[in-house]
Amino acid sequence: MENLYKAIRSMAKLSQEQFADELGTTPQSINRWENGKTGPNRMAQKQLFRFCTEREIELGELIVSGKEYTKPCDQLVLYHGSKKGIVGSLAPISRTECDFGAGFYMGTGVLQPLTLVCSETAPKFYTVALDTSNLKILDLEIGLDWAMLIAYNRKEMDRVAGSRIYEKYAHLTDGYDLVVGYIANDRMYTELARFFRGDISDAALLHCLSALDLGKQYVAISEKACKQIEILNEESLTQLELSILENMSAKRRKEGIRLADEIVKQHRREGQFFDEIIGG
């Protein structure tokens, strides 16, 4: 975090004395922050966020890159955000309404798990290593199975419960330990909702997903898979980091929706609509 404080001062082109004066603190405090000896209290972190906002200092990418795991690792390195922190052994116990059902969710990138928990009061950020050997893996490419499995898990198919297509997705993950598929994060939620309402076709939805390139999520849906996950690092997030990430997430969401609107216009006459697919 000390690099973040120094980056703010550097981008504002201020000396430690000038920076301290702006924040109503002492140069000695600034020096200790930048050297990692101490950190600003909660009030000072709010002041720092206001300082960055007023001067349009963007630090989201710096925070994200600083969380990337750079040490050598023989296993697949993934990331996980937790609202309150992991207690006890890992288990596939998330909400069932998540994209691929109940499981332990991990992402290939840092940004998604960070933005997932940035509005929480005391979240934790984890770097984990996954051993995929001897696991039965369902790998979903960008396509209808991806969209329809999400539809099933988000209860969008309940009105056709018992139908052939409902049963297909109700049992699609049976017997698997791990589901791998593209992330439907906050920039895709709007398009998924539009697809489920029948406002856009499956082709438009999937073109949006391809263009936004949100990375992949690995979901351990069995106890066996969870036992093959090792926590490499656990990190608390400061109020300053959370505020910056929340602001960054909101901006990226707006940009994602704007881009998706353009894509939908280009592909509005292609593909099938949700009610046509499920026969509702």
Side-chain angles (χ1 to χ4, degrees), residues 17-225:
E17 289 77 12
Q18 292 169 325
F19 195 33
D21 188 58
E22 289 279 349
L23 297 175
T25 188
T26 66
Q28 290 80 11
S29 292
I30 301 298
N31 185 269
R32 288 196 292 269
W33 296 354
E34 293 185 1
N35 289 319
K37 293 180 180 178
T38 61
N41 60 26
R42 194 174 184 84
M43 182 177 294
Q45 289 185 50
K46 290 182 179 179
Q47 286 180 296
L48 280 164
F49 180 66
R50 285 197 298 270
F51 180 90
C52 293
T53 302
E54 290 167 359
R55 289 160 179 77
E56 296 184 346
I57 295 173
E58 301 287 346
L59 292 164
E61 296 295 343
L62 180 63
I63 293 173
V64 170
S65 62
K67 305 296 183 188
E68 292 176 350
Y69 194 77
T70 57
K71 297 178 182 178
C73 183
D74 294 333
Q75 305 295 341
L76 176 64
V77 174
L78 299 166
Y79 303 96
H80 172 82
S82 174
K83 293 180 179 181
K84 296 181 180 179
I86 296 170
V87 179
S89 301
L90 301 184
I93 54 174
S94 72
R95 293 180 298 107
T96 56
E97 292 81 8
C98 294
D99 291 349
F100 303 141
F104 183 81
Y105 281 71
M106 303 160 282
T108 54
V110 172
L111 182 59
Q112 166 62 7
L114 283 175
T115 55
L116 187 67
V117 298
C118 64
S119 61
E120 302 297 326
T121 55
K124 299 276 189 174
F125 177 72
Y126 293 87
T127 304
V128 303
L130 173 64
D131 177 5
T132 59
S133 61
N134 301 315
L135 296 180
K136 190 174 181 183
I137 302 171
L138 174 61
D139 196 343
L140 297 168
E141 292 302 320
I142 296 175
L144 190 59
D145 279 344
W146 172 87
M148 296 305 288
L149 182 58
I150 293 173
Y152 167 77
N153 284 310
R154 295 191 183 182
K155 309 300 183 184
E156 297 291 344
M157 295 175 64
D158 282 4
R159 65 180 182 269
V160 293
S163 67
R164 180 185 58 80
I165 194 166
Y166 180 92
E167 291 301 317
K168 173 184 176 180
Y169 292 101
H171 298 286
L172 190 66
T173 62
D174 288 359
Y176 286 97
D177 300 300
L178 188 73
V179 180
V180 182
Y182 285 84
I183 293 170
N185 75 355
D186 53 5
R187 286 182 288 164
M188 279 300 296
Y189 287 157
T190 299
E191 306 317 312
L192 279 162
R194 291 170 73 184
F195 172 63
F196 299 146
R197 288 197 307 265
D199 297 337
I200 66 173
S201 69
D202 60 337
L205 174 72
L206 298 175
H207 277 293
C208 287
L209 178 66
S210 299
L212 292 174
D213 189 19
L214 304 175
K216 284 190 171 184
Q217 53 191 346
Y218 284 66
V219 187
I221 61 173
S222 72
E223 294 286 349
K224 178 181 178 181

